[in-house]
Amino acid sequence: MSDSAVKRAKMLSSQPEERVDWKKRKAEIKEATRQRKEAKLIKQLDKQRQQEAAETEKLEEQQNKNGRPYTVSVALPGSVLDNAQSPELRTYLAGQIARACVVFGVDEIVVFDEQGEQVKSTEGEFKGVGKKGNACIQLARILQYLECPQYLRKWFFPKHHDLQYAGLLNPLDSPHHMRIDDESEYREGIVLDRPSKQGKGSLVNCGMRKEVRIDKQLQSGLRVTVQLNETQKQENKVFKGVVVAPHVPRTEGGHYWGYNVRLASSLSAVFSESPYDEGYDTTVGTSERGGSIDQMTLPPFKHLLVVFGGLQGLEASVDTDQNLDVTDPSVLFDFYLNTCPCQGSRTIRTEEAILVSMSGLRPKISAAFAPVSNHL
């Protein structure tokens, strides 16, 4: 070994060793470990959130697919309009009834005549307070007018004396009352009188910027419920869809889709002329003489009917119905309820009774149909 190499080795051996700050090193290791655990925890939380979101979406899709399996019907006498002393007030009263029924998702409104007139359609007009039967016709016509989407009214409701003040009423704003650019799987429309080629369906006005070609050839002037195709080619001149039954948006889509209006000549006809094959399987009568609503429990049902009396109550409707041999109206119903116990007023108007009663029944219905309670 040369002298220079020996000197260099001595110099290196004489340098002090670099000391490691173990305290600082431990702190660095601890901080790195903490950051790794934190990143892992954040990753796990993100994964959990994604799983929960996917499960929620799946549940919502399942609920929407199942829809709402039951219906709610309301029956009331047309004589309630006799309590209003001017055409404007009668129209406003009918609007209050329509709004109350829509707010609580009523599927059918039955207007019955306490006088037993054979009223079957809305032909004719209301000529004044106290005229038998005509009040039912006016009430039914206004209810039908309000339920119809605005873009279809000009076809189905020509100018009529009963509808003179209907334009002043508050809109129902139901889910099927679409704006022109609203996106929805379902829409209400009218079949147009347009020629179409053999094998191609009719054209329907659904209140959109383009007309809809449906899968069937139907008579013009019919009101139809259309299910639009999921994908639409914007370059096409028309949209495409299929005709479905009016109940499909409710039973399959889970949407509230307005109400039907039915005229009945008497209280008994409300039950006997039910549009459902098996009739109403659960019936509720409302009266201040009934039992308290607080203690009752509704069983699961297919078709619920809630009946309201007129100015003299359900007792008067029973007395004037020649088809009924009973004097106590409670025997006609599964439940005979006082929906507003300890009321502070001597009388509760029918439009108020609908709001009070349906508000009290809503949690009872939700309890009977917990999986689909969010649809009502």
Side-chain angles (χ1 to χ4, degrees), residues 116-129:
E117 297 289 336
Q118 295 297 318
V119 179
K120 295 295 183 181
S121 72
T122 54
E123 295 300 320
E125 62 185 58
F126 186 74
K127 297 179 180 178
V129 175

Side-chain angles (χ1 to χ4, degrees), residues 1 30 38 96 166 183 215 230 238 241 247 274 307 345 351 353:
M1 182 182 291
K30 188 175 180 181
E38 187 176 309
Q96 285 183 298
E183 294 185 3
D215 58 327
E230 292 185 5
V238 296
H247 66 79
S274 171
V307 183
S345 174
E351 66 273 20

